[in-house]
Amino acid sequence: MSSLRQVLIIDDHDGMREGLELLMRRRGHRTLSAGGGQEGLRLLEEEGADLVITDLKMARVDGIKVLKGVKSNSPNTDVLVITAHGTVEKAVEAMKLGACDFISKPFSSEEFGIKVDRILREREERLRLESENLALRVENTYLRSETGDGSTPYGQMVGDSAGIRQIKRFVERVARSDSTVMVYGESGTGKELVARAIHARSGRHKGPFVRVNCGALPEGLLDSELFGHERGAFTGAEKKRRGRFELADGGTLFLDEISTINAATQVRLLRVLQERELERVGGEKTIPVDVRIVAATNTPADELLSGNAFREDLYYRLHVVPVTVPPLRERKDDIGVLAEHFVTKLQSRTRSAVVAIDPGAMKRLEDYDWPGNVRELENVIERALVLADGEVLEEGDLPFLANGGAAGISVGPALGDGVDLGRAMDNMEERLIRQALERAGGVKAEAARLLGIKKSALYYKIEKYGIGT
C-alpha cells in the first residue's frame, strides 16, 4: 500500500479480535478495536477509519446495525463483514446496505489479508479518482470569463503595449520552472490573469488552478480555507474539510492580497513553503502537498518590508521571481483594444446591440486615467452597454466619465433644498462605500484602503447600509 491505513475491528470474541488486530499490524496497518458494535461506532466517530471489519453476529448491536451506522456517519469508510457458515442471506443483505465485501468463517490468515489489501487498494484508487474530479470541479468554479477559452497561451491578457509584451515574455520564461512568483500591481491591473497565464504555460497546466482572495476572508476563517480543518476543530466544524492547498495539489495556488494575512497565518504559510507539508486546523497528521505558489499584492515591495506587519523571512520565500503589472494609465495604447474586447465579451450579458465604439467615445476613454485600472474600464463598458440605444457606443453613452470621473456619483440635494444633514451624510457615505467596493472589485480590504478606514469599520458600515444584501 502507498500509505498507512487505519483499520477498525469490531468483534465480541476476544480471541478473534486480537488475532485480526495482529494480522493487520503485520501487514502494515494501524488498528483500532472494539468488543461491541456500540463501542465500535463511538471509536469510528472519535478516531475515524479507512476500513471497518465487523462480525455480523454480535449481541445488542449486530453487524447490520454497525454497517448502517458507518454508512450514515462516515459514508466514505469501507466495511468488510465477517459471516458464519449458513448466514449467506445476511451477507447479501449487508452488501445491499453498502458493505464492500464479506468473508465467511472459517478463513485462513492469507485469504483474509489478501481480501483486505484488495479492498484498500480499490479504495485508494477510488479516492484518487474522486480527488482528481474534485480538483477539476474546483478549477471550473474558479475559472472566470476573463481567463478566456485557453485558445492562446496567455488566456485573455489583452493588449500589445510595451508593458504587456514584457509581461508575456516574463510568463514564457518563468512558466518553465516551479519557482514561487510574486506579482505586484495596483488593484484591477490583471494580476490574476498573469497567474493563470503562468499556470497555463507550465508543466502543471493539467492540474488545478485554485485562487484564494486572502483579503476577502475574515481572519478567523483564513487558516481553515488555506489548510483545511478536522471535525470538531472549532465551533461549526461538523466534518473534516480539505483546504485550498490540498485542493491545489499537483497544480497552482494563487494567493491574492497576500499582504493582508495576519502574523499567525504567516507562520503557518512559511512552514508549508519550507517543508511542502501541512497540518489541518485541529489535526496532528502531516499532509504532503505539491503546489506551485503564485502570490499577488497591491502593496509595493518596499512597503511590505517597511513595517513590522509582514515577516521578512516569508517575504523572501515569496519574492523569488517578482514581476510588476503596469497600471492602465501607463499603457494607454491598450485602452482601445481592451474597450473593444469588453464590448464583445459583454454583449451577451447586457443584451446590447452595440458592436463598435465611435471615435469621440474612444477619445474620452483614452483621456481618462483609470485609477481602478482594467477592472474599472470593464465596469464602465458594461454600464455603457446597458445604457446605449444604438449599435455604436457614442460619447453621450459615457456621461459618468464627465468631469474626469468614472463613478458619476451625486452626493444628494443642495443645502438649500431643506435636506436633513444627518441623512445626507449617510447617503453620501453609503454611495462612497459602494463606489470604493466597485473600484476594488468587491475586495473589502482594498475598498477600506481606498476609503482610508479600517476593515472592521468598513464591515460595520456595509452591515449598517445593507450593502450586498
Side-chain angles (χ1 to χ4, degrees), residues 213-223 256-263 265-266 297-299 309-310 429 433 436-437 440 442-464 467:
N213 189 331
C214 302
L217 291 167
E219 292 182 356
L221 292 180
L222 183 56
D223 276 10
D256 199 6
E257 301 299 339
I258 190 68
S259 59
T260 63
I261 64 176
N262 62 35
T265 303
Q266 289 183 43
T297 179
N298 56 24
T299 304
F310 204 82
E429 184 176 61
I433 290 172
L437 286 167
V443 178
K444 294 182 179 63
E446 173 61 11
R449 188 188 70 80
L450 290 172
L451 292 165
I453 62 177
K454 293 182 178 180
K455 281 194 297 182
S456 57
L458 178 62
Y459 282 119
Y460 166 76
K461 293 177 186 298
I462 287 173
E463 183 176 352
K464 174 183 176 181
I467 297 173

Side-chain angles (χ1 to χ4, degrees), residues 172-194:
E172 282 284 354
R173 291 194 301 269
V174 78
R176 304 185 194 114
S177 73
D178 265 349
S179 299
T180 300
V181 178
M182 188 74 152
V183 185
Y184 296 93
E186 296 177 8
S187 290
T189 51
K191 298 186 290 294
E192 182 176 344
L193 292 184
V194 174

Side-chain angles (χ1 to χ4, degrees), residues 312-331:
E312 185 174 348
D313 48 4
L314 178 58
Y315 168 82
Y316 287 115
R317 279 285 176 181
L318 294 169
H319 192 85
V320 178
V321 186
V323 63
T324 300
V325 183
L328 189 53
R329 64 182 174 275
E330 293 180 8
R331 48 188 183 102

Side-chain angles (χ1 to χ4, degrees), residues 159-312:
D160 196 40
S161 64
I164 284 297
R165 289 198 302 270
Q166 185 176 359
I167 293 292
K168 290 179 179 180
R169 288 194 295 270
F170 170 84
V171 169
E172 282 284 354
R173 291 194 301 269
V174 78
R176 304 185 194 114
S177 73
D178 265 349
S179 299
T180 300
V181 178
M182 188 74 152
V183 185
Y184 296 93
E186 296 177 8
S187 290
T189 51
K191 298 186 290 294
E192 182 176 344
L193 292 184
V194 174
R196 290 187 181 277
I198 291 171
H199 174 74
R201 295 288 286 169
S202 74
R204 296 174 174 267
H205 66 279
K206 292 184 179 179
F209 179 94
V210 177
R211 174 183 178 270
V212 185
N213 189 331
C214 302
L217 291 167
E219 292 182 356
L221 292 180
L222 183 56
D223 276 10
S224 174
E225 286 293 322
L226 288 175
F227 312 113
H229 63 251
E230 297 292 346
R231 182 185 181 195
F234 50 84
T235 302
E238 296 180 355
K239 60 182 180 179
K240 180 172 64 178
R241 180 183 180 185
R242 297 197 302 164
R244 305 290 176 87
F245 267 96
E246 289 183 74
L247 294 176
D249 193 54
T252 302
L253 179 63
F254 176 54
L255 300 175
D256 199 6
E257 301 299 339
I258 190 68
S259 59
T260 63
I261 64 176
N262 62 35
T265 303
Q266 289 183 43
V267 173
R268 297 194 68 169
L269 178 58
L270 180 63
R271 187 253 170 121
V272 176
L273 293 174
Q274 289 174 334
E275 307 296 335
R276 299 292 169 179
E277 60 185 25
L278 57 84
E279 292 176 1
R280 297 190 187 112
V281 176
E284 298 178 353
K285 181 181 178 181
T286 299
I287 301 168
V289 286
D290 174 25
V291 174
R292 186 198 190 149
I293 300 295
V294 179
T297 179
N298 56 24
T299 304
D302 55 348
E303 291 185 22
L304 270 182
L305 291 178
S306 62
N308 297 320
F310 204 82
R311 293 177 62 99
E312 185 174 348

